[in-house]
Amino acid sequence: MNSGMNESTGVARPTPEEDGELLARVLRGDERAMAVLFDRYSKIVYSVSLRVLRDTASAEDVMQEIFMQIWRNPSSFVSTKGSLGGWLAVVARNRSIDTLRRKRPSEQVEEMNLASACNLADEAERSILMERARAAVKVLPTEQRKTLEMAFFDGLTHSEIAEMTGDPLGTVKTRIRSALLTLRKAFQA
């Protein structure tokens, strides 16, 4: 059996000498050699990064960083430490772990207490209800709307409204009652 063959795929594995020659060419600025290195090892780097990060975009970023590091400093690989593929897998794993550490907050967001003077859920619900009330009041007949506004927003009594408008007290009460029934129906819908 040939030691340079991958038993599972039957494809020849690059020898350390071949990788060394490619790195030497990269050191001289040979873009084709860099393309060969990328084609040969990008799957390993990407798969290790993806396994750690579980995010395709982050794994692609790590892969790009690693190959840019090789392009800028191909002598960073020391052949006595093992194969280039193995070294790249370790670098990908370490760089991915570093990426995770930078992204993760020191405390989980669910566990973090945020100080707030009010209950945000209640405020949001209140805001929604206020918008619904404004919309419902806008569609009331003019006389009902004006009478209702005088009673609730100006704080006037039924008698005071009757005095100000010159309308009979019974009419004022009927308008307010009709307006409230219309609003109730709008909120139940």
Side-chain angles (χ1 to χ4, degrees):
M1 176 170 35
N2 184 348
S3 63
M5 293 292 279
N6 183 324
E7 294 174 24
S8 62
T9 62
V11 176
R13 279 187 236 145
T15 64
E17 292 79 20
E18 290 172 326
D19 285 341
E21 174 58 32
L22 280 175
L23 287 170
R25 288 174 46 203
V26 169
L27 185 61
R28 292 189 300 266
D30 185 340
E31 292 178 12
R32 284 187 182 162
M34 188 66 210
V36 171
L37 276 177
F38 183 83
D39 289 343
R40 189 175 285 174
Y41 294 110
S42 62
K43 289 178 186 173
I44 292 170
V45 172
Y46 178 77
S47 63
V48 169
S49 298
L50 184 61
R51 194 174 315 132
V52 173
L53 296 168
R54 298 179 185 196
D55 175 54
T56 57
S58 297
E60 289 170 0
D61 288 345
V62 166
M63 180 180 66
Q64 182 178 359
E65 287 174 21
I66 291 170
F67 282 99
M68 286 303 296
Q69 174 188 345
I70 291 173
W71 176 250
R72 287 189 299 265
N73 187 13
S75 59
S76 60
F77 169 69
V78 180
S79 61
T80 58
K81 292 184 178 180
S83 71
L84 181 59
W87 179 77
L88 285 170
V90 170
V91 170
R93 179 184 168 279
N94 293 344
R95 187 79 53 96
S96 298
I97 290 170
D98 290 345
T99 300
L100 276 180
R101 287 180 181 149
R102 280 193 307 267
K103 285 185 177 182
R104 286 190 182 151
S106 58
E107 278 186 76
Q108 293 296 323
V109 174
E110 295 81 27
E111 298 170 6
M112 198 176 294
N113 293 323
L114 299 175
S116 177
C118 64
N119 183 330
L120 296 177
D122 288 346
E123 284 297 313
E125 186 176 341
R126 183 175 172 268
S127 178
I128 291 168
L129 288 174
M130 290 297 292
E131 285 302 315
R132 286 181 65 193
R134 283 189 189 103
V137 168
K138 282 183 182 178
V139 298
L140 289 173
T142 304
E143 292 302 318
Q144 285 183 8
R145 184 174 34 80
K146 285 182 182 178
T147 306
L148 187 70
E149 288 172 348
M150 292 171 84
F152 285 92
F153 299 119
D154 297 336
L156 300 176
T157 65
H158 294 169
S159 300
E160 291 171 333
I161 294 170
E163 258 182 57
M164 288 182 74
T165 61
D167 294 327
L169 182 59
T171 303
V172 169
K173 288 181 178 182
T174 301
R175 285 181 184 156
I176 291 173
R177 179 160 172 69
S178 296
L180 290 174
L181 288 172
T182 302
L183 291 176
R184 181 186 294 162
K185 286 179 186 174
F187 277 97
Q188 290 175 345

